[in-house]
Amino acid sequence: MPTASARFRPALSRALSASAAAPSLPSAPPALVASANAGSLAAQCELALFYSKLTGSKDADALAFLWNSRAAEQGSPEAQAALGMLFYVGKGVPQDPSKAFLWTCKAADAGLEDAMAIVSDMYFHGLGVESDLKRAHHYSLLAAKKGHKLSKLKLASMYLMGDGVAANVEEAKYWAREATGTEIDFVNPGQWLHEKMNELIDQECGNPENVRE
């Protein structure tokens, strides 16, 4: 059976692999920079996204951190989640798992389902926060109810294994069906869950909408 670590870092692993290399650092449109400096949240978010796509450059990483920070402080859940990931991997800023958890949790509490899934992973593994399987279950349930398929499958495993919640085979079967449309293979349930999780991750890499209802 796959280890707990193999079974539970799907949201983090997707976020960590979601960048592409860029050879140079083009200049952002001056009018966009001026608008962002004047306090426009939309412009700050646009600049954060602009620089986050230019990986392979420390200057780009620093600017992505700068504009994500400003947008996050203004309350953008997407920027808060992105800022959390920058703190987690140490891009454009020294690595700080505690701050990663803080900002990702803000995004999750604002209703961003991808952030909910990542916060669940962080609680499950004790990444930037003390491990708490009940809180991990809580955030997975929140994300699952918003249609996040990976979180549905994670719930199936948590109910099957009794992780953070009382073991309940019927609940496990329900969430497995919700996530995959198929029944758990009880001959080797751990392997089945591992394979289905990988399938959903592969689907999301091709099309993020595939892992939502």
Side-chain angles (χ1 to χ4, degrees):
M1 180 180 295
T3 64
S5 179
R7 288 189 293 120
F8 291 116
R9 286 201 188 180
L12 283 171
S13 66
R14 292 197 321 279
L16 291 171
S17 63
S19 61
S24 61
L25 184 62
S27 298
L32 182 63
V33 176
S35 182
N37 278 320
S40 167
L41 177 58
Q44 290 171 358
C45 288
E46 189 171 343
L47 276 178
L49 181 60
F50 176 85
Y51 287 113
S52 69
K53 292 179 177 180
L54 304 177
T55 59
S57 164
K58 290 184 178 180
D59 289 340
D61 291 344
L63 288 166
F65 174 77
L66 169 68
W67 293 114
N68 271 306
S69 296
R70 293 192 182 182
E73 291 285 359
Q74 289 210 64
S76 165
E78 291 78 12
Q80 290 167 347
L83 186 60
M85 189 52 57
L86 292 176
F87 273 117
Y88 184 77
V89 300
K91 287 186 65 175
V93 66
Q95 191 173 29
D96 191 328
S98 295
K99 288 183 179 178
F101 173 78
L102 172 68
W103 283 107
T104 309
C105 202
K106 285 180 180 290
D109 291 342
L112 195 66
E113 61 263 36
D114 285 337
M116 293 172 183
I118 293 174
V119 168
S120 175
D121 287 349
M122 297 182 86
Y123 268 124
F124 194 93
H125 292 287
L127 302 173
V129 66
E130 185 176 350
S131 179
D132 188 331
L133 298 188
K134 289 185 178 179
R135 296 297 291 170
H137 172 266
H138 170 74
Y139 278 96
S140 279
L141 185 59
L142 290 178
K145 287 182 175 180
K146 291 177 74 70
H148 197 272
K149 287 187 179 179
L150 281 167
S151 294
K152 293 177 181 181
L153 194 56
K154 183 173 177 179
L155 281 177
S157 185
M158 295 185 85
Y159 278 112
L160 187 64
M161 308 300 291
D163 290 329
V165 67
N168 187 319
V169 172
E170 292 306 313
E171 284 288 334
K173 291 162 90 174
Y174 169 78
W175 286 110
R177 285 193 300 270
E178 285 288 301
T180 69
T182 59
E183 297 290 337
I184 295 175
D185 177 5
F186 282 99
V187 174
N188 193 342
Q191 184 63 31
W192 183 89
L193 287 163
H194 181 68
E195 291 176 355
K196 292 298 182 184
M197 190 73 73
N198 284 336
E199 287 177 11
L200 287 178
I201 291 172
D202 288 343
Q203 288 176 21
E204 179 161 358
C205 288
N207 182 359
E209 294 306 313
N210 285 338
V211 293
R212 295 174 180 81
E213 288 182 336

